[in-house]
Amino acid sequence: MVTRKRLEPLLPWIVTIGFFAVWEVAVWALQIEVFILPAPSDIYRSFVRWHEAIWFNSLQTLYTTLIGFGLAVVGGMLLGLLIGYSKLAYSALYPILIGFNSIPKVALVPVFVIWFGIGTVPAILTAFLISFFPIVVNVATGLATVEPELEDVLRSLGATKRDIFLKVGLPASMPYFFASLKVAVTLAFVGSVIAETVASNRGVGYMMIAAQGRFDVPLVFAGLVAIAAMGIVLYAMFAWLEQRLTSWAYR
Amino acid sequence: MSAAVELNDVTLRYGADPNETPALRGVNLNVPAGDFAAVVGRSGCGKSSLLKLVSGLQPATHGTVSVDGEPVTRPVGVVGMAFQNSSLLPWRSTLENVLLPLEVVAHKRRDYRKNKKQYEQRACELLATVGLAGQEQTPPKSLSGGMRQRVSLCRALIHEPQLLLLDEPFGALDAFTKEELWQVLQELWRATGCTVILITHDLSEAVLLANTVYVMGPRPGRMIYRADIALKRPRELNDRFDRDFIDTVAELRHHIGQSHAGRQAA
Protein backbone atom coordinates (compact mmCIF):
# COMPACT_ATOMS: atom_id res chain seq x y z
CA MET A 1 0.00 0.00 0.00
CA VAL A 2 2.93 2.32 0.66
CA THR A 3 4.02 2.11 -2.97
CA ARG A 4 0.48 2.81 -4.14
CA LYS A 5 0.26 5.91 -2.00
CA ARG A 6 3.58 7.16 -3.33
CA LEU A 7 2.61 6.27 -6.88
CA GLU A 8 -0.66 8.17 -6.97
CA PRO A 9 0.64 11.76 -7.30
CA LEU A 10 3.25 10.61 -9.83
CA LEU A 11 0.78 8.73 -12.00
CA PRO A 12 -0.51 11.67 -14.10
CA TRP A 13 3.08 12.62 -14.96
CA ILE A 14 4.06 9.06 -15.82
CA VAL A 15 1.02 8.62 -18.07
CA THR A 16 1.50 11.97 -19.83
CA ILE A 17 5.22 11.51 -20.39
CA GLY A 18 4.57 7.91 -21.46
CA PHE A 19 2.00 9.12 -23.97
CA PHE A 20 4.51 11.49 -25.62
CA ALA A 21 7.23 8.84 -25.48
CA VAL A 22 5.08 6.28 -27.30
CA TRP A 23 4.16 8.94 -29.84
CA GLU A 24 7.81 9.85 -30.40
CA VAL A 25 8.88 6.22 -30.81
CA ALA A 26 5.95 5.40 -33.09
CA VAL A 27 6.69 8.29 -35.43
CA TRP A 28 10.36 7.30 -35.58
CA ALA A 29 9.71 3.54 -35.97
CA LEU A 30 6.97 3.90 -38.60
CA GLN A 31 8.89 6.65 -40.38
CA ILE A 32 5.85 8.95 -40.49
CA GLU A 33 6.47 12.16 -42.43
CA VAL A 34 6.58 15.34 -40.41
CA PHE A 35 3.75 16.96 -42.42
CA ILE A 36 1.48 13.98 -41.59
CA LEU A 37 2.23 13.62 -37.89
CA PRO A 38 5.12 15.49 -36.32
CA ALA A 39 6.91 13.85 -33.39
CA PRO A 40 6.80 15.57 -29.98
CA SER A 41 10.41 16.60 -30.51
CA ASP A 42 9.39 18.39 -33.73
CA ILE A 43 6.58 20.12 -31.87
CA TYR A 44 9.04 21.18 -29.17
CA ARG A 45 11.39 22.62 -31.77
CA SER A 46 8.48 24.49 -33.27
CA PHE A 47 7.66 25.87 -29.81
CA VAL A 48 11.20 27.12 -29.40
CA ARG A 49 11.31 28.66 -32.84
CA TRP A 50 7.89 30.34 -32.75
CA HIS A 51 7.59 31.01 -29.01
CA GLU A 52 6.82 34.70 -29.49
CA ALA A 53 3.96 34.09 -31.91
CA ILE A 54 2.61 31.24 -29.80
CA TRP A 55 2.73 33.36 -26.66
CA PHE A 56 1.02 36.33 -28.31
CA ASN A 57 -1.74 34.24 -29.88
CA SER A 58 -2.28 32.13 -26.77
CA LEU A 59 -2.82 35.29 -24.71
CA GLN A 60 -5.37 36.47 -27.27
CA THR A 61 -7.21 33.13 -27.09
CA LEU A 62 -7.06 33.12 -23.30
CA TYR A 63 -8.45 36.63 -23.26
CA THR A 64 -11.43 35.91 -25.53
CA THR A 65 -12.10 32.61 -23.78
CA LEU A 66 -12.17 34.13 -20.32
CA ILE A 67 -14.42 37.03 -21.32
CA GLY A 68 -16.85 34.65 -23.05
CA PHE A 69 -16.71 32.28 -20.11
CA GLY A 70 -17.22 35.09 -17.61
CA LEU A 71 -20.34 36.22 -19.46
CA ALA A 72 -21.55 32.61 -19.51
CA VAL A 73 -21.02 32.29 -15.74
CA VAL A 74 -23.06 35.40 -14.98
CA GLY A 75 -25.76 34.73 -17.57
CA GLY A 76 -25.90 30.99 -16.96
CA MET A 77 -26.16 31.45 -13.22
CA LEU A 78 -29.00 33.96 -13.52
CA LEU A 79 -30.96 31.97 -16.09
CA GLY A 80 -30.31 28.69 -14.26
CA LEU A 81 -31.64 30.16 -11.03
CA LEU A 82 -34.71 31.48 -12.81
CA ILE A 83 -35.45 28.16 -14.52
CA GLY A 84 -34.74 26.09 -11.43
CA TYR A 85 -36.84 28.31 -9.22
CA SER A 86 -39.88 28.91 -11.36
CA LYS A 87 -41.74 26.04 -13.02
CA LEU A 88 -43.32 28.56 -15.36
CA ALA A 89 -39.97 29.90 -16.58
CA TYR A 90 -38.76 26.33 -16.97
CA SER A 91 -41.55 25.21 -19.26
CA ALA A 92 -41.46 28.50 -21.16
CA LEU A 93 -37.72 28.65 -21.80
CA TYR A 94 -36.50 25.05 -21.95
CA PRO A 95 -37.54 24.24 -25.55
CA ILE A 96 -35.87 27.33 -26.96
CA LEU A 97 -32.75 26.70 -24.87
CA ILE A 98 -32.47 23.12 -26.15
CA GLY A 99 -32.98 24.46 -29.65
CA PHE A 100 -30.18 26.99 -29.30
CA ASN A 101 -27.87 24.42 -27.80
CA SER A 102 -28.49 22.05 -30.70
CA ILE A 103 -27.23 24.60 -33.23
CA PRO A 104 -23.60 23.91 -34.17
CA LYS A 105 -21.81 26.96 -32.88
CA VAL A 106 -19.38 26.96 -35.80
CA ALA A 107 -22.36 27.69 -38.07
CA LEU A 108 -23.01 30.89 -36.15
CA VAL A 109 -19.53 32.32 -36.58
CA PRO A 110 -20.16 33.63 -40.13
CA VAL A 111 -23.29 35.36 -38.81
CA PHE A 112 -21.29 37.00 -36.03
CA VAL A 113 -18.74 38.13 -38.60
CA ILE A 114 -21.50 39.84 -40.60
CA TRP A 115 -22.68 41.57 -37.44
CA PHE A 116 -19.42 42.41 -35.71
CA GLY A 117 -16.66 41.92 -38.30
CA ILE A 118 -13.64 39.64 -38.10
CA GLY A 119 -11.75 39.45 -34.81
CA THR A 120 -12.28 39.34 -31.10
CA VAL A 121 -16.06 39.73 -30.74
CA PRO A 122 -17.12 36.58 -32.65
CA ALA A 123 -14.64 34.53 -30.61
CA ILE A 124 -16.01 35.87 -27.33
CA LEU A 125 -19.58 35.22 -28.40
CA THR A 126 -18.84 31.67 -29.53
CA ALA A 127 -17.04 30.90 -26.26
CA PHE A 128 -20.01 32.35 -24.39
CA LEU A 129 -22.63 30.35 -26.30
CA ILE A 130 -20.87 27.04 -26.02
CA SER A 131 -20.18 27.27 -22.27
CA PHE A 132 -23.48 28.88 -21.31
CA PHE A 133 -25.73 25.84 -21.57
CA PRO A 134 -24.05 23.41 -19.14
CA ILE A 135 -24.02 26.14 -16.47
CA VAL A 136 -27.74 26.85 -16.92
CA VAL A 137 -28.68 23.16 -16.78
CA ASN A 138 -26.55 22.44 -13.72
CA VAL A 139 -27.69 25.42 -11.68
CA ALA A 140 -31.32 24.67 -12.54
CA THR A 141 -30.88 21.02 -11.57
CA GLY A 142 -29.24 22.00 -8.31
CA LEU A 143 -32.16 24.22 -7.37
CA ALA A 144 -34.80 21.74 -8.49
CA THR A 145 -33.32 18.88 -6.46
CA VAL A 146 -33.43 20.65 -3.07
CA GLU A 147 -35.19 18.33 -0.61
CA PRO A 148 -38.73 19.59 0.00
CA GLU A 149 -38.32 18.91 3.73
CA LEU A 150 -35.48 21.44 3.91
CA GLU A 151 -37.88 24.02 2.51
CA ASP A 152 -40.67 22.89 4.84
CA VAL A 153 -38.46 23.53 7.85
CA LEU A 154 -38.09 27.14 6.77
CA ARG A 155 -41.65 27.56 5.54
CA SER A 156 -43.08 26.38 8.86
CA LEU A 157 -41.16 29.21 10.51
CA GLY A 158 -42.90 31.72 8.30
CA ALA A 159 -39.92 32.27 5.99
CA THR A 160 -40.43 34.39 2.89
CA LYS A 161 -39.66 33.05 -0.58
CA ARG A 162 -36.55 35.22 -0.55
CA ASP A 163 -35.38 33.68 2.74
CA ILE A 164 -35.84 30.17 1.40
CA PHE A 165 -33.96 31.03 -1.76
CA LEU A 166 -31.04 32.68 0.04
CA LYS A 167 -30.74 30.21 2.92
CA VAL A 168 -31.52 26.93 1.13
CA GLY A 169 -31.84 27.11 -2.66
CA LEU A 170 -28.75 29.13 -3.50
CA PRO A 171 -26.25 27.31 -1.25
CA ALA A 172 -27.72 23.92 -2.20
CA SER A 173 -27.12 24.58 -5.90
CA MET A 174 -23.48 25.67 -5.44
CA PRO A 175 -21.90 22.19 -5.86
CA TYR A 176 -23.74 21.82 -9.17
CA PHE A 177 -22.62 25.28 -10.22
CA PHE A 178 -18.95 24.62 -9.53
CA ALA A 179 -19.09 21.21 -11.16
CA SER A 180 -20.40 22.87 -14.31
CA LEU A 181 -17.67 25.55 -14.28
CA LYS A 182 -14.97 22.93 -14.80
CA VAL A 183 -16.71 21.59 -17.87
CA ALA A 184 -17.74 25.01 -19.15
CA VAL A 185 -14.26 26.55 -19.05
CA THR A 186 -12.80 23.82 -21.28
CA LEU A 187 -15.77 24.18 -23.62
CA ALA A 188 -15.17 27.92 -23.79
CA PHE A 189 -11.72 27.20 -25.30
CA VAL A 190 -13.36 25.05 -27.94
CA GLY A 191 -15.69 27.93 -28.77
CA SER A 192 -13.09 30.66 -29.06
CA VAL A 193 -10.66 28.53 -31.08
CA ILE A 194 -13.42 27.48 -33.49
CA ALA A 195 -14.28 31.11 -34.09
CA GLU A 196 -10.60 32.02 -34.58
CA THR A 197 -10.08 29.29 -37.15
CA VAL A 198 -13.09 30.49 -39.15
CA ALA A 199 -12.77 34.23 -38.90
CA SER A 200 -9.99 35.98 -37.09
CA ASN A 201 -6.59 37.50 -37.57
CA ARG A 202 -5.36 36.65 -34.11
CA GLY A 203 -5.41 33.80 -31.61
CA VAL A 204 -4.24 30.23 -31.56
CA GLY A 205 -6.99 29.16 -33.96
CA TYR A 206 -5.89 31.72 -36.52
CA MET A 207 -2.24 30.80 -36.01
CA MET A 208 -3.01 27.13 -36.68
CA ILE A 209 -4.91 27.87 -39.88
CA ALA A 210 -2.07 30.11 -41.08
CA ALA A 211 0.49 27.40 -40.26
CA GLN A 212 -1.60 24.81 -42.06
CA GLY A 213 -1.54 26.98 -45.19
CA ARG A 214 2.26 26.82 -45.09
CA PHE A 215 2.27 23.06 -44.39
CA ASP A 216 3.93 23.88 -41.06
CA VAL A 217 2.26 20.93 -39.34
CA PRO A 218 4.52 21.04 -36.24
CA LEU A 219 3.26 24.57 -35.52
CA VAL A 220 -0.36 23.38 -35.90
CA PHE A 221 0.35 20.79 -33.25
CA ALA A 222 2.17 23.32 -31.09
CA GLY A 223 -1.05 25.35 -31.13
CA LEU A 224 -3.04 22.32 -30.04
CA VAL A 225 -0.64 21.66 -27.19
CA ALA A 226 -0.86 25.30 -26.08
CA ILE A 227 -4.68 25.12 -25.98
CA ALA A 228 -4.60 21.82 -24.08
CA ALA A 229 -2.18 23.25 -21.53
CA MET A 230 -4.35 26.33 -20.92
CA GLY A 231 -7.41 24.08 -20.60
CA ILE A 232 -5.72 21.92 -17.99
CA VAL A 233 -4.55 24.92 -15.95
CA LEU A 234 -8.01 26.52 -15.89
CA TYR A 235 -9.73 23.24 -15.14
CA ALA A 236 -7.37 22.71 -12.21
CA MET A 237 -8.07 26.23 -10.93
CA PHE A 238 -11.82 25.66 -10.88
CA ALA A 239 -11.46 22.19 -9.40
CA TRP A 240 -9.45 23.76 -6.58
CA LEU A 241 -12.05 26.49 -6.09
CA GLU A 242 -14.79 23.87 -5.99
CA GLN A 243 -12.91 21.94 -3.32
CA ARG A 244 -12.46 25.05 -1.24
CA LEU A 245 -15.98 26.44 -1.45
CA THR A 246 -18.22 23.37 -1.50
CA SER A 247 -16.23 20.80 0.44
CA TRP A 248 -19.36 20.08 2.50
CA ALA A 249 -20.88 18.27 -0.47
CA TYR A 250 -18.06 15.72 -0.72
CA ARG A 251 -16.91 12.90 1.49
CA MET B 1 -45.17 30.12 27.02
CA SER B 2 -47.40 27.61 25.31
CA ALA B 3 -50.35 27.57 22.96
CA ALA B 4 -53.51 25.48 22.83
CA VAL B 5 -54.31 23.71 19.57
CA GLU B 6 -57.85 23.20 18.38
CA LEU B 7 -59.15 21.47 15.27
CA ASN B 8 -62.89 21.67 14.64
CA ASP B 9 -64.47 19.31 12.12
CA VAL B 10 -61.50 19.61 9.79
CA THR B 11 -61.48 18.09 6.32
CA LEU B 12 -58.45 18.18 4.06
CA ARG B 13 -58.55 17.26 0.40
CA TYR B 14 -55.38 17.58 -1.71
CA GLY B 15 -57.04 17.25 -5.13
CA ALA B 16 -59.81 19.48 -6.48
CA ASP B 17 -62.15 16.53 -7.11
CA PRO B 18 -64.88 16.56 -4.40
CA ASN B 19 -65.64 12.83 -4.92
CA GLU B 20 -62.10 11.80 -4.08
CA THR B 21 -61.55 10.35 -0.58
CA PRO B 22 -60.12 13.22 1.48
CA ALA B 23 -56.83 12.86 3.36
CA LEU B 24 -58.65 13.88 6.57
CA ARG B 25 -62.35 14.04 7.32
CA GLY B 26 -64.18 15.48 10.30
CA VAL B 27 -61.13 15.62 12.52
CA ASN B 28 -61.57 17.10 15.97
CA LEU B 29 -58.59 17.63 18.21
CA ASN B 30 -58.16 19.67 21.33
CA VAL B 31 -54.75 19.96 22.92
CA PRO B 32 -54.66 22.30 25.94
CA ALA B 33 -51.75 24.71 26.35
CA GLY B 34 -48.67 23.01 27.75
CA ASP B 35 -49.99 19.53 27.11
CA PHE B 36 -48.21 16.63 25.43
CA ALA B 37 -50.35 14.81 22.86
CA ALA B 38 -49.35 11.89 20.66
CA VAL B 39 -51.04 10.77 17.47
CA VAL B 40 -50.59 7.15 16.38
CA GLY B 41 -51.81 5.19 13.38
CA ARG B 42 -50.72 3.25 10.34
CA SER B 43 -48.72 4.79 7.51
CA GLY B 44 -50.82 6.85 5.16
CA CYS B 45 -53.65 7.59 7.56
CA GLY B 46 -53.04 11.31 7.41
CA LYS B 47 -50.87 11.86 10.47
CA SER B 48 -48.39 14.07 8.65
CA SER B 49 -51.22 15.96 6.95
CA LEU B 50 -52.50 16.79 10.41
CA LEU B 51 -49.20 18.46 11.30
CA LYS B 52 -49.14 20.35 8.01
CA LEU B 53 -52.52 21.79 8.94
CA VAL B 54 -51.46 22.83 12.42
CA SER B 55 -48.20 24.38 11.20
CA GLY B 56 -50.05 26.31 8.52
CA LEU B 57 -48.12 24.70 5.66
CA GLN B 58 -51.41 23.37 4.30
CA PRO B 59 -54.78 25.15 4.53
CA ALA B 60 -57.82 23.11 5.58
CA THR B 61 -60.44 22.41 2.91
CA HIS B 62 -63.19 22.62 5.50
CA GLY B 63 -63.37 23.34 9.22
CA THR B 64 -61.14 25.48 11.41
CA VAL B 65 -57.65 25.07 12.81
CA SER B 66 -56.56 27.39 15.56
CA VAL B 67 -53.40 27.79 17.58
CA ASP B 68 -53.46 29.89 20.73
CA GLY B 69 -57.03 30.93 19.90
CA GLU B 70 -56.00 32.39 16.54
CA PRO B 71 -57.14 30.74 13.30
CA VAL B 72 -54.17 29.38 11.34
CA THR B 73 -54.05 30.74 7.81
CA ARG B 74 -50.35 30.61 7.02
CA PRO B 75 -47.12 29.52 8.73
CA VAL B 76 -46.19 31.67 11.69
CA GLY B 77 -43.07 31.61 13.78
CA VAL B 78 -44.68 30.27 16.95
CA VAL B 79 -44.15 26.68 15.83
CA GLY B 80 -41.05 24.48 15.99
CA MET B 81 -40.88 21.39 13.79
CA ALA B 82 -38.73 18.28 13.57
CA PHE B 83 -39.07 15.42 11.10
CA GLN B 84 -37.92 11.82 10.77
CA ASN B 85 -35.17 13.13 8.53
CA SER B 86 -33.11 15.63 10.53
CA SER B 87 -32.93 17.86 7.40
CA LEU B 88 -29.96 19.87 8.61
CA LEU B 89 -28.27 22.18 6.11
CA PRO B 90 -25.01 20.41 5.21
CA TRP B 91 -23.09 23.62 4.51
CA ARG B 92 -23.67 24.96 8.01
CA SER B 93 -22.01 23.89 11.23
CA THR B 94 -24.09 22.39 14.02
CA LEU B 95 -24.32 25.73 15.82
CA GLU B 96 -25.30 27.60 12.65
CA ASN B 97 -27.98 25.01 11.99
CA VAL B 98 -29.48 25.51 15.42
CA LEU B 99 -29.46 29.29 14.94
CA LEU B 100 -31.25 29.11 11.57
CA PRO B 101 -34.81 29.80 12.84
CA LEU B 102 -33.62 33.03 14.48
CA GLU B 103 -32.57 34.34 11.07
CA VAL B 104 -36.01 33.61 9.68
CA VAL B 105 -38.76 34.01 12.28
CA ALA B 106 -40.22 37.48 11.84
CA HIS B 107 -40.44 38.58 15.47
CA LYS B 108 -36.95 37.31 16.41
CA ARG B 109 -34.97 38.53 13.46
CA ARG B 110 -34.04 41.98 14.58
CA ASP B 111 -33.40 41.00 18.15
CA TYR B 112 -31.13 38.21 16.96
CA ARG B 113 -29.03 40.55 14.85
CA LYS B 114 -28.54 42.86 17.80
CA ASN B 115 -27.81 40.20 20.42
CA LYS B 116 -26.03 37.56 18.40
CA LYS B 117 -23.63 36.60 21.18
CA GLN B 118 -26.44 36.06 23.64
CA TYR B 119 -28.37 33.80 21.28
CA GLU B 120 -25.26 31.84 20.40
CA GLN B 121 -24.76 31.31 24.10
CA ARG B 122 -28.32 30.05 24.37
CA ALA B 123 -27.85 27.68 21.42
CA CYS B 124 -24.72 26.27 23.05
CA GLU B 125 -26.63 25.70 26.28
CA LEU B 126 -29.41 23.97 24.40
CA LEU B 127 -26.89 21.74 22.62
CA ALA B 128 -25.35 20.94 25.99
CA THR B 129 -28.72 19.86 27.45
CA VAL B 130 -29.11 17.30 24.66
CA GLY B 131 -25.56 16.06 25.23
CA LEU B 132 -23.83 17.79 22.34
CA ALA B 133 -21.49 20.15 24.19
CA GLY B 134 -18.29 20.61 22.20
CA GLN B 135 -19.88 19.70 18.85
CA GLU B 136 -20.84 23.29 17.94
CA GLN B 137 -18.48 23.57 15.00
CA THR B 138 -18.90 20.00 13.70
CA PRO B 139 -20.46 19.75 10.23
CA PRO B 140 -23.69 17.67 10.23
CA LYS B 141 -22.24 14.99 7.98
CA SER B 142 -19.75 14.08 10.71
CA LEU B 143 -22.51 13.48 13.27
CA SER B 144 -24.30 10.16 13.86
CA GLY B 145 -28.02 9.81 13.10
CA GLY B 146 -28.97 10.18 16.75
CA MET B 147 -26.79 13.27 17.16
CA ARG B 148 -28.31 14.86 14.07
CA GLN B 149 -31.76 14.30 15.50
CA ARG B 150 -30.68 15.99 18.73
CA VAL B 151 -29.50 18.99 16.70
CA SER B 152 -32.81 18.98 14.87
CA LEU B 153 -34.65 19.14 18.22
CA CYS B 154 -32.50 22.07 19.32
CA ARG B 155 -33.24 23.86 16.06
CA ALA B 156 -36.96 23.32 16.63
CA LEU B 157 -36.68 24.91 20.09
CA ILE B 158 -34.17 27.77 19.72
CA HIS B 159 -36.80 30.42 18.89
CA GLU B 160 -38.80 29.43 21.99
CA PRO B 161 -41.86 28.20 20.11
CA GLN B 162 -45.16 27.87 21.91
CA LEU B 163 -45.87 24.70 20.03
CA LEU B 164 -43.53 21.84 19.11
CA LEU B 165 -44.63 19.59 16.23
CA LEU B 166 -42.73 16.32 15.86
CA ASP B 167 -43.28 14.07 12.86
CA GLU B 168 -41.79 10.67 13.75
CA PRO B 169 -38.56 12.27 14.90
CA PHE B 170 -37.14 8.98 16.20
CA GLY B 171 -38.47 6.76 13.42
CA ALA B 172 -35.11 6.12 11.79
CA LEU B 173 -33.08 5.55 14.96
CA ASP B 174 -31.94 2.34 16.62
CA ALA B 175 -33.72 1.20 19.80
CA PHE B 176 -31.10 2.42 22.29
CA THR B 177 -30.65 5.83 20.74
CA LYS B 178 -34.41 6.15 20.68
CA GLU B 179 -34.66 5.42 24.40
CA GLU B 180 -32.05 8.06 25.15
CA LEU B 181 -33.88 10.62 23.07
CA TRP B 182 -37.20 9.87 24.77
CA GLN B 183 -35.56 10.99 27.99
CA VAL B 184 -34.09 14.03 26.27
CA LEU B 185 -37.46 15.03 24.84
CA GLN B 186 -39.23 14.53 28.16
CA GLU B 187 -36.65 16.77 29.82
CA LEU B 188 -36.90 19.45 27.11
CA TRP B 189 -40.69 19.47 27.43
CA ARG B 190 -40.46 19.83 31.19
CA ALA B 191 -37.93 22.65 30.89
CA THR B 192 -39.67 24.65 28.13
CA GLY B 193 -43.31 23.98 29.01
CA CYS B 194 -44.40 24.27 25.39
CA THR B 195 -47.27 22.31 23.89
CA VAL B 196 -46.12 19.18 22.04
CA ILE B 197 -47.82 17.14 19.35
CA LEU B 198 -45.85 13.99 18.57
CA ILE B 199 -46.65 11.77 15.61
CA THR B 200 -45.33 8.24 15.83
CA HIS B 201 -45.72 4.60 14.84
CA ASP B 202 -44.34 3.45 18.13
CA LEU B 203 -47.11 2.87 20.68
CA SER B 204 -44.72 2.54 23.65
CA GLU B 205 -43.17 5.86 22.66
CA ALA B 206 -46.61 7.49 22.57
CA VAL B 207 -47.70 6.10 25.95
CA LEU B 208 -44.38 6.82 27.62
CA LEU B 209 -44.24 10.47 26.56
CA ALA B 210 -47.78 11.78 26.11
CA ASN B 211 -50.65 12.77 28.38
CA THR B 212 -53.17 11.94 25.70
CA VAL B 213 -52.82 9.49 22.81
CA TYR B 214 -55.04 9.77 19.75
CA VAL B 215 -55.50 6.86 17.34
CA MET B 216 -56.14 7.71 13.71
CA GLY B 217 -57.82 5.45 11.16
CA PRO B 218 -57.11 5.48 7.44
CA ARG B 219 -58.94 6.58 4.28
CA PRO B 220 -60.25 9.05 5.11
CA GLY B 221 -57.98 9.96 8.00
CA ARG B 222 -60.01 10.49 11.15
CA MET B 223 -59.76 10.15 14.91
CA ILE B 224 -61.06 6.77 16.06
CA TYR B 225 -59.91 6.53 19.65
CA ARG B 226 -58.54 8.66 22.43
CA ALA B 227 -56.71 7.44 25.52
CA ASP B 228 -55.75 9.57 28.51
CA ILE B 229 -52.52 8.32 30.02
CA ALA B 230 -52.67 8.66 33.78
CA LEU B 231 -49.17 7.32 34.53
CA LYS B 232 -47.15 9.32 37.04
CA ARG B 233 -44.48 11.82 35.97
CA PRO B 234 -41.59 11.85 35.39
CA ARG B 235 -41.69 8.56 33.58
CA GLU B 236 -38.81 6.13 33.49
CA LEU B 237 -37.89 3.73 30.72
CA ASN B 238 -38.69 0.81 33.03
CA ASP B 239 -42.28 2.03 33.40
CA ARG B 240 -42.82 0.36 30.06
CA PHE B 241 -42.83 -3.01 31.79
CA ASP B 242 -45.57 -2.14 34.30
CA ARG B 243 -49.00 -3.76 34.06
CA ASP B 244 -50.86 -0.47 33.40
CA PHE B 245 -48.47 0.53 30.69
CA ILE B 246 -48.71 -2.80 28.88
CA ASP B 247 -52.51 -2.77 29.11
CA THR B 248 -52.69 0.72 27.62
CA VAL B 249 -50.41 -0.22 24.72
CA ALA B 250 -52.47 -3.39 24.11
CA GLU B 251 -55.65 -1.37 24.05
CA LEU B 252 -54.23 1.11 21.51
CA ARG B 253 -52.95 -1.77 19.45
CA HIS B 254 -56.40 -3.30 19.47
CA HIS B 255 -58.01 -0.12 18.12
CA ILE B 256 -55.45 0.24 15.36
CA GLY B 257 -56.03 -3.41 14.39
CA GLN B 258 -59.77 -2.80 14.29
CA SER B 259 -59.46 0.21 12.03
CA HIS B 260 -57.55 -1.98 9.61
CA ALA B 261 -59.97 -4.95 9.83
CA GLY B 262 -62.94 -2.63 9.30
CA ARG B 263 -61.31 -1.22 6.22
CA GLN B 264 -60.69 -4.66 4.76
CA ALA B 265 -64.27 -5.79 5.41
CA ALA B 266 -65.52 -2.69 3.60
Side-chain angles (χ1 to χ4, degrees):
Chain A
M1 287 319 279
V2 178
T3 46
R4 194 183 155 167
K5 236 184 194 163
R6 241 190 281 166
L7 204 61
E8 214 180 286
L10 293 175
L11 221 48
W13 297 102
I14 295 172
V15 170
T16 310
I17 292 168
F19 169 75
F20 284 111
V22 170
W23 179 354
E24 182 80 39
V25 171
V27 167
W28 174 76
L30 301 172
Q31 306 228 306
I32 300 173
E33 295 288 351
V34 75
F35 57 86
I36 303 287
L37 178 68
S41 54
D42 297 322
I43 298 170
Y44 175 74
R45 253 173 266 129
S46 183
F47 253 110
V48 174
R49 180 163 172 215
W50 297 108
H51 68 271
E52 265 175 36
I54 292 172
W55 180 247
F56 169 79
N57 287 304
S58 294
L59 281 184
Q60 166 70 15
T61 300
L62 186 66
Y63 162 72
T64 54
T65 302
L66 285 182
I67 291 182
F69 172 70
L71 292 174
V73 169
V74 176
M77 178 94 186
L78 291 177
L79 193 61
L81 290 175
L82 181 69
I83 285 180
Y85 201 54
S86 146
K87 263 229 133 48
L88 205 67
Y90 175 88
S91 44
L93 292 172
Y94 226 63
I96 204 169
L97 262 179
I98 303 272
F100 266 116
N101 195 48
S102 308
I103 297 173
K105 303 300 173 289
V106 65
L108 286 175
V109 179
V111 180
F112 292 151
V113 172
I114 294 172
W115 291 347
F116 303 105
I118 281 181
T120 307
V121 179
I124 290 175
L125 285 178
T126 317
F128 164 75
L129 281 181
I130 210 166
S131 56
F132 177 68
F133 193 72
I135 301 178
V136 172
V137 171
N138 262 43
V139 171
T141 310
L143 261 190
T145 52
V146 174
E147 284 173 58
E149 273 196 351
L150 284 184
E151 289 184 17
D152 273 359
V153 168
L154 282 174
R155 285 213 301 139
S156 67
L157 295 165
T160 58
K161 281 205 147 200
R162 189 171 159 269
D163 281 333
I164 296 176
F165 174 72
L166 289 177
K167 307 240 180 255
V168 179
L170 194 64
S173 65
M174 281 300 109
Y176 291 82
F177 173 65
F178 280 106
S180 75
L181 290 192
K182 292 187 299 188
V183 181
V185 77
T186 51
L187 282 177
F189 272 109
V190 175
S192 55
V193 173
I194 281 176
E196 286 165 1
T197 49
V198 176
S200 185
N201 40 23
R202 274 185 198 185
V204 179
Y206 163 75
M207 184 188 79
M208 281 158 57
I209 289 295
Q212 187 202 27
R214 290 183 283 117
F215 279 98
D216 189 350
V217 183
L219 183 54
V220 174
F221 274 80
L224 291 177
V225 171
I227 294 163
M230 289 190 289
I232 291 173
V233 169
L234 282 178
Y235 181 97
M237 271 171 55
F238 283 104
W240 178 81
L241 210 63
E242 181 187 19
Q243 269 290 315
R244 286 296 304 270
L245 295 178
T246 58
S247 61
W248 54 267
Y250 303 94
R251 272 173 298 148
Chain B
M1 278 256 279
S2 57
V5 177
E6 222 182 314
L7 274 75
N8 253 322
D9 192 25
V10 169
T11 297
L12 172 66
R13 194 177 270 120
Y14 283 106
D17 180 7
N19 296 319
E20 193 190 324
T21 313
L24 298 170
R25 178 186 284 161
V27 173
N28 290 300
L29 180 73
N30 194 341
V31 185
D35 203 12
F36 196 131
V39 179
V40 296
R42 290 173 176 277
S43 306
C45 70
K47 301 191 299 291
S48 298
S49 298
L50 188 76
L51 281 201
K52 288 203 165 166
L53 283 173
V54 176
S55 62
L57 288 175
Q58 187 78 45
T61 315
H62 176 81
T64 54
V65 179
S66 62
V67 172
D68 201 18
E70 298 280 321
V72 176
T73 50
R74 58 188 176 82
V76 279
V78 297
V79 169
M81 279 186 106
F83 305 90
Q84 176 169 354
N85 194 332
S86 61
S87 37
L88 302 176
L89 305 180
W91 53 87
R92 287 173 168 240
S93 70
T94 296
L95 182 66
E96 287 166 342
N97 263 293
V98 174
L99 291 169
L100 176 71
L102 299 171
E103 300 168 18
V104 171
V105 173
H107 63 272
K108 288 274 178 190
R109 236 177 180 149
R110 189 176 294 166
D111 199 34
Y112 170 63
R113 249 177 256 147
K114 260 192 254 158
N115 306 310
K116 225 166 195 163
K117 275 273 163 295
Q118 225 172 305
Y119 279 105
E120 272 171 21
Q121 180 66 29
R122 216 189 103 65
C124 290
E125 284 165 21
L126 205 52
L127 282 168
T129 57
V130 301
L132 285 179
Q135 302 285 356
E136 292 82 5
Q137 297 310 322
T138 315
K141 66 177 174 184
S142 311
L143 298 173
S144 69
M147 288 158 109
R148 263 181 250 154
Q149 216 53 36
R150 288 166 204 254
V151 178
S152 176
L153 279 177
C154 291
R155 182 180 62 185
L157 289 169
I158 186 72
H159 55 297
E160 297 169 318
Q162 301 172 35
L163 174 62
L164 182 60
L165 301 176
L166 304 171
D167 191 353
E168 294 180 38
F170 314 129
L173 302 177
D174 68 88
F176 300 111
T177 310
K178 219 181 203 182
E179 288 176 359
E180 273 174 42
L181 286 185
W182 288 343
Q183 301 292 62
V184 168
L185 178 57
Q186 203 174 189
E187 181 51 34
L188 287 174
W189 176 57
R190 202 193 53 75
T192 59
C194 65
T195 314
V196 181
I197 299 179
L198 166 73
I199 281 182
T200 176
H201 281 131
D202 187 331
L203 299 180
S204 308
E205 177 175 304
V207 176
L208 183 73
L209 294 170
N211 287 337
T212 315
V213 179
Y214 292 85
V215 179
M216 280 184 80
R219 316 212 116 252
R222 64 206 188 282
M223 295 298 177
I224 56 173
Y225 186 70
R226 174 197 154 132
D228 291 310
I229 314 296
L231 303 169
K232 60 161 179 51
R233 297 250 180 209
R235 297 176 188 162
E236 309 282 334
L237 288 173
N238 280 335
D239 292 351
R240 286 178 297 162
F241 311 115
D242 290 349
R243 188 78 243 165
D244 282 357
F245 195 100
I246 294 167
D247 286 347
T248 315
V249 171
E251 200 184 328
L252 291 171
R253 186 73 195 78
H254 171 73
H255 282 278
I256 289 175
Q258 270 201 331
S259 79
H260 194 56
R263 183 177 150 213
Q264 277 184 333

